[in-house]
Amino acid sequence: MSATPTAAQTPESRPLRLTFVSGSVLAMFVLIICSWTYIAFGQSWPSHGFFSGETASRAWSFLGDLAGKGREGTPAYLDGAAWAEAGRLALATLAMSVLAAGIAAVGALLTFMFAARNVMSGELAPYRSPVWVAWLGIVRLFYALSRSVPELIWAMLLVFIFSPGILPGALALAIHNFGILGKLSAEVVEGLDTRPARALRTSGAGWFQVIAYAILPAALPRFITYLFYRWEVIIRTTLVVGLVAAGGLGMEFRLALSHFHYTTVTLLLIWYLLLVLGVDIVSAAMRRLAR
C-alpha cells in the first residue's frame, strides 16, 4: 500500500530554504538600502540636493567649460599642435601599460607554479617536505601583499625612489598586477586535470619534466588570456597612476585641471578613450588567438 502524503510532506508546507544565490541577492538589496540611507541622512548628502535643478545646472556648466563655451581662442581639441603633444603623452601612457604588463607577466610566469597547492604540497609535489610548504606560503604571501596595496599607493611610494616619469608608474602597475595574475594562474593549475601529469610521473618523468610537458602547456593559454585581460585593466589605471607625477596622460590631466584648462582636459580624455578602445580591440583579438 502506498502511503498518502501528510501535510508536512506537501510542497506547500515545506519551509523556504535560503540558498547561496538567493541569500547573496537579498544581502545586496539590504546593503544598497543601507548605503543610500547613510548618504541621505548622514554627512554625505549634498546641501543643494542630489536630484535638484542646481545640480543639473552645475553639471551643464561644467560640460560647457569642457567644450570651451565662453572662452577666447581656439579650444585645445581643435588645435593640431595640441593634438600632437597629447599624442606624445598617449604614446608614453601606452608604453607604461605595456611595460607594466610585461614585468607582471614575467614575474607571475616564474612564480605561479610555486603558488599551486597540488604542485607544492599535493599529489604532484615531488617531496612531502615542510620546505616546499614554506615556499608555497611565501609566494602566496608575496601575491597577497602586492595585490592588497592599490596601484596609486605603490606609485606614490615609488615616485620618492625614482624620478617622475613612466618608470615608477609602470613598476607600480606591475607590482599590483603581479599578485593578481599570479594568483589567478595558480588557481588555474589547481583546477587542471592531473591525470596526464600523474601518467608522466608513473612513467619515470621528473618534477620539472612534469611541469614542462604536462602542466605548463595546459595552463599557458589561460595565463595568456588573463594577461591580456589585465592589460585592459592596466591601460584604464594609467591615468590614475599618472596623477601622482608618474608620467603620461595622467600627469598632464592633473595639471590641466589645476590650471582650469578645461578644453585640454577634453582633449586628454579623447586620447584616453582612444587608447582604451584600441587596447580593448587588440586584447580581444589576442585572447581569441590564445584559446
Side-chain angles (χ1 to χ4, degrees), residues 53-107:
E54 185 177 353
T55 301
S57 176
R58 290 187 179 187
W60 185 254
S61 176
F62 181 68
L63 291 176
D65 291 335
L66 292 178
K69 181 181 178 181
R71 295 182 179 270
E72 299 180 356
T74 304
Y77 56 83
L78 296 179
D79 187 359
W83 269 90
E85 179 64 22
R88 184 186 62 83
L89 297 174
L91 184 60
T93 301
L94 180 63
M96 182 196 303
S97 69
V98 173
L99 181 60
I103 296 173
V106 172

Side-chain angles (χ1 to χ4, degrees), residues 1-7 9-10:
M1 296 177 60
S2 58
T4 58
T6 61
Q9 295 173 329
T10 58

Side-chain angles (χ1 to χ4, degrees), residues 205-288:
W207 185 75
F208 287 101
Q209 292 174 316
V210 171
I211 296 295
Y213 294 105
I215 299 179
L216 191 58
L220 203 55
R222 294 285 297 276
F223 174 82
I224 296 174
T225 300
Y226 286 139
L227 172 61
F228 282 108
Y229 170 71
R230 292 310 304 175
W231 185 34
E232 294 180 16
V233 178
I234 288 172
I235 195 64
R236 288 171 171 81
T237 320
T238 49
L239 188 68
V240 179
V241 170
L243 294 176
V244 293
L249 289 173
M251 184 176 180
E252 189 65 24
F253 186 84
R254 186 188 67 173
L255 293 175
L257 277 178
S258 301
H259 294 91
F260 306 104
H261 296 164
Y262 292 116
T263 59
T264 304
V265 172
T266 302
L267 175 60
L268 296 175
L269 287 176
I270 293 173
W271 266 111
Y272 177 68
L273 292 175
L274 291 175
L275 270 182
V276 171
L277 181 61
V279 169
D280 283 355
I281 293 174
V282 173
S283 175
M286 298 304 291
R287 288 201 310 270
R288 285 194 297 269

